Amino acid sequence: MKMTVGGRAVSYVLAYLFALLALYPIVLMISSSLKTNREIFASPLSLPKTFSLDTYKKLWEAVPFADFLWNSVFVSALSVLLITVFSAMAAFYLSRFSFTWTAGLYFFFIIGLMIPIKLGIVPLFLLMKNLGLLNSLWSLILIYTASGIPISVFILTGFFRTLPIELEEAARIDGCSHFQVFWRILLPLIRPALATVVIINFIHAWNDFFFPLIFIQEESLKTIPVGMMVLFGEYETDWSLLFAGLTLSALPMIIVFLLASRQFMEGLTAGAVK
Amino acid sequence: MRWLIHLFPLPALVIYTLFVVYPIFSAFLYSLYDWNGIKRGVFVGLQNFITLFTVEPFNEMFWNAFRHNVFYFVVEMIVQNGIAFGLAFLIYRKIRGSGFLKIAYFMPRLLSVIVIGFLWKLILNPNYGALNSILAKIGLEEWTRPWLGDPDTALLAIILINSWFGIGFAILIFLAGLQSIPEDLIEAARLDGATGLRMLWKMILPLCMPAITIMTIFTFIQAFEAFELVYAMQGSMGEPFYSTDTLAVYFYRMAFSSGAGDVTLGLGSALAVVLFFIVGSVSALSLYLMRKREVQH
């Protein structure tokens, strides 16, 4: 489609204006973290006059960020691994075999897409208490794994169905078992869908703060989002420290995203619109 | 060893059943009992639901929060999805630097809601916040206000921040929808003399319907589950004066802070069930309609 010169100019202004609107608060967050409190109050919008990491040193002493980081990595990595392996196994079964119950089982998994799991938080809390998992990172891993399964089974089953059945038949004639067909033939072929599943669940597990807020009390077991929350109660007036806390908790994700932005964005939409 | 195949779905099934299905199912049961703190009391049937809808202050609280959820949905549809569609359309029409633009638009989506909440709380701070400073600088001094402290602006501010957060994702969905339109259909329409707005209205929007439907369902679910941002910015009371309260925040209050008395666990579960039915029925209905339309095509 052709656009007039005026229309083109307006498009560019709008598109870049919104980019500024999206980025500005993030830039402001980072630049404010490098300022002193006095500088923030006197000139909130300007860039920092001198570059200083003093605030970060102070932050490091105020919160055990290394612990938080490790907890977040551990919880996210393990949840994502479990989701991916278990969902792929289930999706393989659901897409490649048709027993009387497969359709029903698929439907049972898919209802999870519509269940707001937060609404089950009271029974979930009591369940975790009975299992002795309150104040344990395992409570988070189990919940993220469970709640990530519906969307992952949905995406992977759809993807498995697009693979030609002949591939598998050939492998079976060559004497492959179910497991070998799954592991050696099909899994490598659905790599793009696996990437999608990994990304969606990773963002969710990494950023969530609802479940750690409820299940984790012990300081050293907190994940980054809840760990940082402490700052906002205790250092209410120290703005540069607050901005530094925000920056530090956002940074790992921003770095991962910048390294793999294409994969991220394709992954998030694959399967959503056919 | 053929039976071994039946073990494949088992781990997913067990974990999912135990930590998603069972808690929701239990919440249904809890809603039928009179709960006194930790211990389940007597079976009261639908009494909790009746209380929720007819007894003050519960009924007022419910409708107040419900209105806010509806408002959340409407504003997000107009602001977040409207702007997102416009921007996706610009990128679709080949604007320079679209790679950078996509990354920029998506950036906010990477931050934890807790980070977003506090970041904007600092930006909107009435004394030193950046927004009021900017307004003063460009001569709009009389517009400055305590955005989050004023019941008239607090809810809208939160919804706009949520739109800021979600717009990048919406753009990606719409862009995927736009890019799935076959070139030759557009070409044919142009040869028939369709231009500009007519083309958008008669060709592009209808062909984007799957993406628009998906985004509408997402937005609806998200609007009716709205919790994190409100909690991070305005606490569990939906301050100021419940002006930012949502059903999920109200539910959290009933389940975890006994501010509304200590017999609210059954009532909270009843609220969870109602919320579940609102979200579940609307998304099931729209999925059904979508499926039906696909079959007709």
Side-chain angles (χ1 to χ4, degrees):
Chain A
M1 274 175 286
K2 295 262 161 17
M3 267 197 281
T4 59
V5 176
R8 199 142 259 278
V10 172
S11 308
Y12 272 85
V13 171
L14 283 179
Y16 281 89
L17 206 63
F18 271 100
L20 185 71
L21 199 64
L23 289 181
Y24 185 71
I26 299 172
V27 173
L28 186 78
M29 166 178 88
I30 298 169
S31 85
S32 301
S33 75
L34 300 168
K35 291 177 177 180
T36 61
N37 271 312
R38 196 188 307 179
E39 237 184 310
I40 292 179
F41 295 144
S43 47
L45 306 178
S46 63
L47 289 171
K49 286 190 194 72
T50 53
F51 181 83
S52 141
L53 288 174
D54 284 355
T55 323
Y56 284 90
K57 211 181 283 165
K58 201 165 141 199
L59 181 70
W60 199 258
E61 284 152 17
V63 296
F65 187 78
D67 284 349
F68 299 160
L69 184 67
W70 164 249
N71 295 334
S72 278
V73 169
F74 179 69
V75 167
S76 314
L78 212 52
S79 313
V80 167
L81 181 74
L82 293 178
I83 293 170
T84 313
V85 173
F86 292 167
S87 303
M89 285 164 65
F92 171 62
Y93 182 79
L94 292 171
S95 61
R96 282 318 205 221
F97 301 89
S98 47
F99 302 103
T100 39
W101 54 80
T102 19
L105 188 61
Y106 178 69
F107 180 72
F108 182 68
F109 275 121
I110 297 312
I111 357 174
L113 284 174
M114 283 178 264
I115 296 181
I117 175 65
K118 287 192 197 91
L119 298 180
I121 188 67
V122 175
L124 209 46
F125 183 83
L126 296 176
L127 179 65
M128 288 299 173
K129 202 171 143 194
N130 291 336
L131 293 174
L133 291 177
L134 286 185
N135 240 335
S136 152
L137 294 177
W138 289 99
S139 62
L140 302 179
I141 293 169
L142 287 170
I143 287 181
Y144 295 150
T145 304
S147 58
I149 281 172
I151 180 89
S152 311
V153 167
F154 176 69
I155 292 173
L156 294 175
T157 306
F159 215 88
F160 269 128
R161 283 185 181 146
T162 64
L163 300 178
I165 199 104
E166 288 79 14
L167 270 175
E168 203 181 319
E169 280 166 356
R172 276 183 213 282
I173 290 168
D174 289 346
C176 278
S177 66
H178 292 315
F179 183 76
Q180 285 168 323
V181 169
F182 171 67
W183 191 255
R184 302 240 299 261
I185 315 278
L186 295 180
L187 269 195
L189 289 172
I190 60 159
R191 232 181 260 145
L194 290 176
T196 305
V197 166
V198 166
I199 288 163
I200 289 178
N201 291 301
F202 177 65
I203 296 189
H204 175 250
W206 186 270
N207 282 337
D208 179 61
F209 87 98
F210 181 77
F211 291 109
L213 177 72
I214 289 165
F215 292 131
I216 307 290
Q217 297 303 323
E218 205 170 305
E219 179 85 356
S220 66
L221 289 176
K222 286 180 174 165
T223 52
I224 297 176
V226 258
M228 286 299 174
M229 256 179 88
V230 180
L231 287 177
F232 300 93
E234 284 175 26
Y235 298 87
E236 221 167 311
T237 49
D238 194 338
W239 278 40
S240 66
L241 192 73
L242 296 184
F243 277 118
L246 295 173
T247 305
L248 210 52
S249 57
L251 217 53
M253 199 64 175
I254 291 180
I255 292 170
V256 175
F257 174 68
L258 289 179
L259 290 176
S261 61
R262 171 177 287 255
Q263 189 71 272
F264 253 74
M265 292 190 293
E266 277 171 11
L268 272 171
T269 47
V273 184
K274 276 189 217 103
Chain B
M1 298 299 266
R2 291 194 67 83
W3 58 271
L4 269 179
I5 186 60
H6 297 301
L7 296 181
F8 270 62
L10 227 49
L13 187 64
V14 170
I15 292 194
Y16 166 69
T17 307
L18 199 55
F19 296 102
V20 172
V21 179
Y22 164 76
I24 293 289
F25 184 71
S26 308
F28 278 48
L29 280 182
Y30 286 20
S31 71
L32 304 174
Y33 286 84
D34 178 21
W35 274 75
N36 270 310
I38 320 262
K39 264 196 126 142
R40 187 162 67 182
V42 290
F43 181 81
V44 292
L46 296 177
Q47 190 54 49
N48 285 323
F49 292 90
I50 295 168
T51 307
L52 192 66
F53 287 111
T54 60
V55 177
E56 279 190 47
F58 303 114
N59 55 350
E60 278 175 20
M61 285 273 195
F62 178 86
W63 291 113
N64 176 53
F66 181 81
R67 269 196 307 276
H68 294 160
N69 283 110
V70 173
F71 186 61
Y72 222 103
F73 174 65
V74 173
V75 175
E76 294 242 292
M77 281 304 284
I78 296 170
V79 177
Q80 176 194 285
N81 296 347
I83 294 176
F85 192 87
L87 292 173
F89 192 59
L90 290 182
I91 292 177
Y92 170 66
R93 286 175 70 161
K94 309 264 187 306
I95 201 163
R96 250 169 229 266
S98 60
F100 163 76
L101 289 173
K102 273 195 277 183
I103 290 178
Y105 298 146
F106 192 76
M107 215 56 150
R109 186 68 181 72
L110 297 170
L111 310 183
S112 167
V113 179
I114 203 87
V115 172
I116 296 189
F118 282 108
L119 172 61
W120 278 96
K121 240 175 129 160
L122 295 173
I123 293 176
L124 297 180
N125 182 285
N127 301 320
Y128 306 108
L131 181 65
N132 280 350
S133 303
I134 293 176
L135 287 174
K137 218 165 230 172
I138 58 175
L140 292 170
E141 193 104 54
E142 70 274 24
W143 283 36
T144 61
R145 68 189 66 222
W147 300 95
L148 296 170
D150 184 340
D152 292 334
T153 54
L155 183 62
L156 188 63
I158 287 188
I159 301 173
L160 292 179
I161 293 165
N162 210 43
S163 302
W164 176 79
F165 170 70
I167 205 160
F169 179 67
I171 288 173
L172 292 183
I173 295 281
F174 289 137
L175 195 58
L178 285 164
Q179 282 164 347
S180 70
I181 299 176
E183 281 291 326
D184 45 340
L185 274 181
I186 304 258
E187 200 55 39
R190 197 173 46 211
L191 289 177
D192 285 346
T195 52
L197 274 182
R198 220 183 117 75
M199 173 81 102
L200 182 67
W201 198 246
K202 293 269 171 193
M203 286 292 301
I204 292 174
L205 272 181
L207 286 168
C208 264
M209 247 5 218
I212 294 171
T213 315
I214 290 274
M215 227 19 245
T216 307
I217 301 177
F218 279 171
T219 310
F220 183 84
I221 294 180
Q222 210 222 343
F224 272 82
E225 285 182 27
F227 170 80
E228 265 99 348
L229 198 59
V230 179
Y231 180 81
M233 300 184 75
Q234 307 287 43
S236 65
M237 305 293 272
E239 285 160 14
F241 313 114
Y242 299 112
S243 65
T244 57
D245 205 16
T246 62
L247 288 174
V249 175
Y250 180 32
F251 164 71
Y252 178 84
R253 201 156 63 234
M254 287 218 266
F256 284 96
S257 56
S258 49
D262 53 348
V263 286
T264 48
L265 214 49
L267 215 51
S269 299
L271 177 58
V273 172
V274 172
L275 201 43
F276 172 76
F277 274 111
I278 296 174
V279 174
S281 55
V282 170
S283 35
L285 183 72
S286 33
L287 282 177
Y288 170 75
L289 292 176
M290 208 158 69
R291 181 65 61 85
K292 212 170 143 193
R293 213 180 38 220
E294 264 174 26
V295 172
Q296 277 171 356
H297 270 299

